[in-house]
Amino acid sequence: MPIGDRGYIRGSHPPYCTCKDCTDRRLRKWQDSARWTTKTTKPHRVTRRNKPSGALLGFLLTLVVVFILLLLGLVVWSLSGGQTSPSTNPPTAVTEPLPQSHSVEVPGSTLTPPPVETPPVPEATRPPATPTGPSALVQPPVYQYEELVEYALELINRNREANGLASVTLGNNTAAQKHAEERLANRYGSHWDMDGLKPYMRYTLAGGENYEAENGFMTETFWIGDKNPSFRIDPKEKLEEAQQGLMASPGHRKNILDKWHKKVNLGIAYDDERLDLVQQFEGGYIDFSELPNISGNILSMTGQVTLGTIENVSLYYDPLPQPLSPEQLDAPPYDYAYGLGEDIGTILPPLPADYFYIDLFPNDVIAITWDIESDSSFTIEADVSPILEEGKGVYTVVVWVETGGEFVAISNFSIFIQ
């Protein structure tokens, strides 16, 4: 009996429960019935019966005489040896009864003659057996991967459009698909992977330059008793369940309905019993012509933004990733949401003459070069030696822009320092 991913089981008590409460109830019921059947009733009035008539006595006497005569005849036949005259018919052969074909009566139908056995078909030409009975299941359709991806994208955009948001388009970053496949193969459900990488690190290594925000969902069928070998999940049904589950979770719903998202990279992997879905949303507001790089304590980057005006650049730190087992990935702290690591400093634009910053944090750095052109192209350089005290690790560059009074992070680009 399969149990869905929600673990919902239908069942009932056995016909006769053996627990003490049920036994006591049956005993009380029997006792009540006994008291009811032993109630005294009013005495019946006795009436006098008539004597039997003479004709009846004569009939009874005749029956007795006939019985006695039959009994005497039986005794005489026994004394004579029970011999009968020889038969003129030849003896008949005794044969074993043929085995009978047992048929099952179906209400409203008639019995059919036993089936006639046909010679076996040679193995090479025997048609494949068609499963019948309770174990036979209707197999779900076979889908192409592209069809499932398009369907998952459609489900996302249905929710976005229902909430007055623009649709997202399909991205081409491969990190989501690789993560879904690894999760399925190793049966874990974390945002981290077995190399210890977080989603934004995988996104950067797969060529991503913008910000990313990952949702993950897993649906799996468990079994009570023996597994039905014919069972197969329907991946489209499971994608619907996954989307419903994500929309029912406040944090994942907020991610799906983020108005700044422009693309989504989808990862879908499944087998007979489990489906893993990874949604990695991204923006599309920055295009680096020179990727962020740290060389000789100097952070430099060049590119162009298509949203708002660059306000500052933040750096976040993570230790170098270490391999993790599936068991570790399904335990704290890897079994919950992920963050960008430790905020270790901010790069600020230099101010015009006669202006200065007040209340700077110790790790705030004033950029050496901060050139922003009218077409929103930029070149930024900064000495980040005060920020690099952590040493080896992953430094993630987050570019912040201001648009319409809102501050939006438009990049999560990770730099690995070995």
Side-chain angles (χ1 to χ4, degrees):
M1 170 185 176
I3 306 177
D5 49 277
R6 288 173 296 215
Y8 178 73
I9 310 173
R10 287 186 178 180
S12 60
H13 290 291
Y16 298 100
C17 184
T18 59
C19 70
K20 185 177 184 299
D21 291 340
C22 294
T23 304
D24 291 344
R25 283 197 295 272
R26 288 201 303 275
L27 180 61
R28 288 196 299 271
K29 182 176 179 181
W30 178 85
Q31 291 171 342
D32 293 341
S33 176
R35 286 196 298 270
W36 182 82
T37 56
T38 56
K39 284 184 179 178
T40 57
T41 59
K42 294 182 180 179
H44 296 283
R45 186 173 63 177
V46 180
T47 59
R48 185 177 180 180
R49 291 184 290 177
N50 296 325
K51 293 181 179 180
S53 62
L56 180 59
L57 291 176
F59 175 74
L60 293 175
L61 183 60
T62 302
L63 289 178
V64 172
V65 172
V66 171
F67 176 74
I68 293 173
L69 291 176
L70 290 174
L71 185 61
L72 289 175
L74 181 60
V75 171
V76 172
W77 181 80
S78 299
L79 292 175
S80 66
Q83 298 294 327
T84 59
S85 59
S87 172
T88 59
N89 297 327
T92 57
V94 179
T95 59
E96 292 292 331
L98 293 175
Q100 296 181 351
S101 173
H102 296 282
S103 60
V104 179
E105 287 193 38
V106 179
S109 66
T110 58
L111 295 177
T112 57
V116 179
E117 293 187 4
T118 57
V121 180
E123 197 65 34
T125 60
R126 187 189 300 272
T130 302
T132 59
S135 63
L137 297 174
V138 178
Q139 296 301 318
V142 177
Y143 302 102
Q144 297 296 322
Y145 170 76
E146 292 77 11
E147 184 178 359
L148 294 177
V149 169
E150 288 297 329
Y151 187 60
L153 178 63
E154 177 186 340
L155 293 174
I156 291 171
N157 284 329
R158 282 183 197 172
N159 293 137
R160 288 181 63 87
E161 291 166 7
N163 288 272
L165 298 171
S167 297
V168 292
T169 59
L170 188 63
N172 58 10
N173 191 286
T174 60
Q177 181 61 35
K178 290 180 180 178
H179 189 44
E181 291 172 359
E182 185 184 273
R183 282 168 46 127
L184 175 70
N186 296 279
R187 275 355 197 216
Y188 71 86
S190 175
H191 286 292
W192 284 255
D193 65 16
M194 296 183 67
D195 291 326
L197 296 169
K198 291 182 179 181
Y200 51 90
M201 300 176 188
R202 295 191 297 270
Y203 173 78
T204 296
L205 293 174
E209 299 181 4
N210 283 261
Y211 76 81
E212 68 79 43
E214 181 181 276
N215 282 345
F217 194 92
M218 175 273 291
T219 173
E220 186 168 14
T221 301
F222 298 93
W223 292 86
I224 291 180
D226 295 335
K227 171 189 172 182
N228 189 327
S230 301
F231 180 80
R232 303 287 185 275
I233 64 170
D234 186 325
K236 273 196 171 182
E237 289 183 0
K238 295 305 178 182
L239 286 174
E240 291 180 6
E241 290 181 18
Q243 186 66 19
Q244 291 170 3
L246 291 169
M247 287 296 290
S249 168
H252 297 97
R253 176 188 175 91
K254 182 179 180 181
N255 192 15
I256 293 171
L257 301 182
D258 190 314
K259 67 180 181 180
W260 299 113
H261 293 340
K262 295 186 70 175
K263 299 178 183 178
V264 62
N265 304 288
L266 292 170
I268 300 172
Y270 67 97
D271 55 22
D272 293 345
E273 298 177 344
R274 169 171 168 150
L275 180 140
D276 279 85
L277 170 67
V278 176
Q279 302 170 337
Q280 195 163 35
F281 294 93
E282 64 175 325
Y285 305 108
I286 191 166
D287 181 20
F288 289 108
S289 52
E290 178 191 333
L291 293 174
N293 180 55
I294 298 176
S295 177
N297 295 331
I298 302 298
L299 169 66
S300 62
M301 54 184 169
T302 302
Q304 186 176 25
V305 298
T306 59
L307 178 70
T309 303
I310 297 178
E311 286 292 311
N312 58 59
V313 177
S314 296
L315 279 183
Y316 291 80
Y317 172 80
D318 287 286
L320 285 174
Q322 300 296 322
L324 297 169
S325 69
E327 293 75 20
Q328 288 175 303
L329 289 167
D330 279 337
Y334 306 108
D335 61 343
Y336 195 58
Y338 69 99
L340 286 175
E342 179 187 358
D343 184 354
I344 58 171
T346 303
I347 301 169
L348 300 170
L351 295 177
D354 300 328
Y355 287 86
F356 58 91
Y357 289 102
I358 60 174
D359 299 329
L360 289 178
F361 291 101
N363 285 345
D364 288 342
V365 174
I366 307 300
I368 301 172
T369 303
W370 190 279
D371 292 337
I372 309 294
E373 304 297 334
S374 59
D375 62 353
S376 298
S377 59
F378 63 87
T379 298
I380 296 175
E381 293 180 338
D383 182 354
V384 292
S385 52
I387 302 178
L388 299 181
E389 293 177 356
E390 301 289 346
K392 297 178 180 180
V394 181
Y395 294 83
T396 299
V397 178
V398 179
V399 177
W400 290 88
V401 299
E402 187 274 330
T403 176
E406 291 187 57
F407 291 91
V408 182
I410 61 172
S411 74
N412 297 347
F413 188 90
S414 295
I415 302 171
F416 293 75
I417 297 181
Q418 306 292 335

